[in-house]
Amino acid sequence: MSNGAAVAHDAHAHHPALAHHFESLDAQKEASVLGMWLFLVTEILFFGGALTAYMIYRTWYPDAFAVASSEIAILPGAINTAVLILSSLTMALAVHAAQTGERGKILVFIAITMVLGAAFLGIKAYEYHEKYVEGHIPGLGLPFRFEEEYYRPAQIFFSIYFVLTGLHALHMIIGLGIMTWMLVLTRKGVITPEYYAPIEISGLYWHFVDIVWIFLFPLLYLIGRHVHHVG
Amino acid sequence: MPTNTYLNAATTLKSWLLTRDHKRIALMYIAGITFFFGIGGFFAALIRLELVTPAGDLLTDETYNKVFTMHGVMMVFFVLIPLIPASLGNFLLPLMLGTKDVAFPKLNLLSFYVYLFGSLFTLYAIVAGGLDTGWTFYTPFSTVASTSAVVPAALGIFINGFSSILTGLNFMVTIHKMRAPGLTWFRLPLFVWALYATSLIQVLGTPVVAITIVLVAAERIFGFGLFNPAVGGDPVLFQHLFWFYSHPAVYIMILPAMGVVSEVIAGMARKQIFGYSFVAFSSLGIAIVGFLVWGHHMFVAGQSIYSALVFSVLTFIVAIPSAVKVFNWTATMYKGSISWQTPMIYVAGFIGLFAIGGLTGLFLAAMGLDIHVTDTYFIVAHFHYVMVGGAIMGYMAGIHYWWPKITGRMYNEFLGKVSAAIVFIGFNLTFFPQFIAGYAGMPRRYHAYADAYQVWNVLSSAGASILAVGFTMPLLYLAWSLKNGEIAGDNPWGAVGLEWNTTSPPPTENFHTQPIVTWDAYEYPTPVEGHVV
Amino acid sequence: MRSGTVFFPEVASTMAARVDQLYLFLVGLTAFFTILIFTMFVVFMVKYRRREPNSIGARIHGGMILEVTWSVIPLLIVLGLFVWSAQIFFAFARPPAETLNVYAVGKQWMWKFQHMDGQREINELHVPVGRSVKMIMTSEDVLHDLFFPAFRVKADVIPGRYTHMWFEATKAGTYPLYCAEYCGTKHSGMIGQVVVMEPDDYQAWLTAGAQEGSLASAGEKLFQDLACNTCHRPDAQGRGPVLHNIYGKTVALQSGENVVVDEAYIRESILRPAAKVSAGFQPTMPSFQGLVSEEGVMELIEYVKSLQGPTANQAVRPTTSGPAPNENTPSQAPPTRN
């Protein structure tokens, strides 16, 4: 065994969070962060597949997509955008608090982040209900109501809308689960200024989910709104 | 045998099921893969039995369709994709890197259970009515026409995808962060380079097939119309998304096998791999260019002739790095000290079969010829030459090469050589006639066929029975060796490489002392002293 | 039925020999490199077999000249193959200017063919020797693929759009046709035969089977039954565009784009009229999706294509891109050769 490695190992041997196969907490954290970034790359490609379908159909049916997207109320979407941006801020503050070791602040900021996340999901549920009332659900055997001219491609638009926002909402729900876990870890005192990687990589995930929404909002709600109904 | 090994460190069932030791996880994968190979092989046997006669007289057409679908699904998703990375890769990567484990051991265990859960889900689809879409799930058949259990099967594949992604991610982080002191990138064994390239494809490609499966499932469960021409959707879009993953997936299967072949040739010839950096970079080249060739699956699907041109030329170009590897392996043999033990015999078989598999790929890259041969048995023969002749032969070579390291024991050398020869002969007899039947016009996925093709089908079925013997033999003599094999010693081949620097089987923490690397890969000192380097 | 030798399907089209040449070249190339590599590998295994248990191989790291050689030579070979195969592909992709058109509709699990003169066939297709035949194909349900091994050609048949392929048969005889894209339970039963006939026999066959009237005349009847003629009037007074002489033209759309009026556009306009509305017209036309079958759409298309020449109700003349017809034709509607 190399002497350097042995010394490094001994120095941190007592820290309970250090896994046996890492030499130091730093090395362990670097690995975790790299792993999370790679995971986010897979997430980009996951959403990317659905966005490819969106792009292709948008080119095929530009008018139908413009008309269909202008059927979606902007206000709830805009509020949700603000809610998520705010939650990213509180998440960043939670990570900062973890770095400085202020446990109370970590708990408060994560709690606020979770409340904002839940608010987002509530507003999303309201929007889905609106779609149901308006007859804009293109499946489940429900009646789909849309002007005759765009009846078919509008179903494609709303299918993509529900797939993308549904997957995003699922990621939010998973995010709330992760945040609950972080609350537990913090309360148990696992999170310290030496070991806050869990909070940091959870934060990366949370920011990523926010960024997905930042793309979805213009793509689904905003683009083509100015195009008035053709004909 | 050493007293302290990963096998005897703890022996309770729980110590296996909840292990975080990459070596034990690798063994569980080997068990799972072998099990699904058996199931997939059983379906293959049914196919070959049915096709002995031109009339569809053994199975009904409906059953036949479900049988070939399940053969494909089992073999592609639950055997070939995890085949080498999850088994040999898991076992060897930390050993080759001189570290104690992969970066995320718990995630590694989770990957295994996700694989198990996903595969059982798909098995459930067989009970729940079977699946008759073909492993390719083409829309709109899979979304609006098929009445079989598409959703459970697709969900199983979706879940299994996470296993593949997490393994790839784990390996990439491990290779970046866990190398032993002194082990620079260009000192890495070529198997590690191959695993890195494979992981890259797993991480970048698998999510795309995952979302594609989600879209198909959304269409079936909710009635959304994403690929449905009835609402203006495009069934061909599915093919683009599907092949964006599923063509690179072929490289997930073959790249690790190429890595194994590099290791075995170097070890068996006791020689540095000729053109190390060319072989290493050709893996990355295949992984990258491999992402740009998916459209060659759609030359007859009505894509524009200009995109067809681009896909064709890139497909021709992706052949070059594979050719470079084969030439470098052959050159490595020159003036080697070549052992004729079982792994080498399997590698020789690999070279012959992979050469045919790779070169017949050119027939399919050639657009004007692809029109005739696509969707015929020519394709079936081609991809079996690559996937069985390439990936599975590579796996067999690797299992035989590292068996003494994994178990600490030797298998029967004579039976090993015989099985390699039987597999080689049986394989050629099974699949070579399919090239000819295909060019003569026999379409794939046919339950009944024209009399003119019978001679090729009879030969093929005869070959399949020989192949079955060839694959059953290792199962028996390897199992037998577990208790009765000769004690292998730490380095039975007299090979170099960190994995040979520890005991066989290795201890749980892999090395008794932390290795520090000061030499290049495959650097043989002269002369070899005894059997230990 | 003729099915060629056990190694090759019958060589029965102008393209078949070209495809076979490329195939045989590649077989030779594959054999050459496989034997070369495998032989070298085995020879090295024998020649450099381990003689002393402890011996090791020679120390050779690599060689740039060799690496370049065995990268560049294969690259040149494959680029040559690319050019060769692309030429064949272009020949397949671009039908000659004058073709005899036949419509094909795939459905689970049968092939339906419609000839211009109105003959309809199921799982059997009659074509003449020595004329380029263009297949215009679609599917009523899932993907299919029409495959003629004797002509070395196949193409996917896709619901919701038209795909095309062409061939020129060179040898009279009966050859198999297959569905080559998996399409469900009876996929392997979705087969039939193509009967290639000498021109005279073909004319006799056409005459014998043409009592139903040409495709265009069937289309004309459908055009009236569906009341298309109330809006699409020949005198520019209707609510829809005049259809005379419209086929092959480029028309301006409301969206500002232009579109060439081809089969695909006419089909789309019948089934999804709102998708591409001609400039100057209101999108008032209802969709005929579900009201008219794929075969009906093909008849309507042929009717529209037949509306060439002076704009007058009686001026239904055949398009004349093909060789002049000289056989007897039903009196009601002149034959269409396109």
Side-chain angles (χ1 to χ4, degrees), chain B residues 66 70 73-74 118-132 137 148-156:
Chain B
K66 289 177 179 173
M70 268 301 153
V73 167
M74 287 291 153
S119 54
L120 291 177
F121 224 100
T122 305
L123 273 184
Y124 160 75
I126 301 179
V127 196
L131 176 71
D132 70 347
F137 287 92
S148 63
V150 175
V151 171
L155 216 57

Side-chain angles (χ1 to χ4, degrees), chain B residues 1-236:
Chain B
M1 284 280 240
T3 47
N4 167 24
T5 77
Y6 76 100
L7 291 169
N8 63 17
T11 50
T12 59
L13 184 64
K14 194 178 151 205
S15 76
W16 278 89
L17 295 182
L18 296 180
T19 183
R20 288 170 206 168
D21 182 349
H22 65 102
K23 299 181 287 302
R24 289 190 164 202
I25 294 172
L27 290 195
M28 296 200 288
Y29 267 116
I30 290 177
I33 289 165
T34 309
F35 175 73
F36 288 108
F37 185 70
I39 294 186
F42 169 72
F43 287 125
L46 287 179
I47 295 171
R48 284 320 322 162
L49 273 177
E50 169 63 73
L51 296 180
V52 170
T53 58
D57 42 13
L58 178 69
L59 308 169
T60 64
D61 38 19
E62 213 182 320
T63 310
Y64 179 80
N65 294 343
K66 289 177 179 173
V67 165
F68 80 67
T69 298
M70 268 301 153
H71 167 69
V73 167
M74 287 291 153
M75 289 302 200
V76 168
F77 293 107
F78 303 111
V79 177
L80 287 163
I81 287 177
L83 182 69
I84 294 178
S87 63
L88 293 172
N90 238 326
F91 193 95
L92 292 164
L93 183 62
L95 286 169
M96 288 182 163
L97 296 181
T99 180
K100 289 177 186 154
D101 208 325
V102 293
F104 310 114
K106 276 188 255 180
L107 199 65
N108 202 17
L109 182 66
L110 178 70
S111 301
F112 172 72
Y113 282 109
V114 169
Y115 163 74
L116 203 62
F117 186 60
S119 54
L120 291 177
F121 224 100
T122 305
L123 273 184
Y124 160 75
I126 301 179
V127 196
L131 176 71
D132 70 347
T133 60
W135 78 274
T136 46
F137 287 92
Y138 269 18
T139 57
F141 182 77
S142 62
T143 46
V144 298
S146 173
T147 54
S148 63
V150 175
V151 171
L155 216 57
I157 292 167
F158 176 80
I159 294 167
N160 184 52
F162 279 96
S163 165
S164 190
I165 290 173
L166 295 178
T167 302
L169 185 155
N170 213 340
F171 284 10
M172 283 180 78
V173 176
T174 307
I175 297 170
H176 272 281
K177 298 287 177 193
M178 311 287 290
R179 283 171 282 126
L183 188 54
T184 58
W185 281 86
F186 288 96
R187 285 175 174 173
L188 288 173
L190 288 163
F191 184 58
V192 175
W193 277 96
L195 283 179
Y196 189 84
T198 308
S199 302
L200 198 65
I201 304 174
Q202 285 176 304
V203 165
L204 295 179
T206 318
V208 177
V209 82
I211 185 72
T212 311
I213 291 172
V214 168
L215 297 179
V216 168
E219 191 154 341
R220 271 192 86 93
I221 298 172
F222 304 122
F224 289 176
L226 287 160
F227 302 119
N228 187 356
V231 294
D234 181 12
V236 181

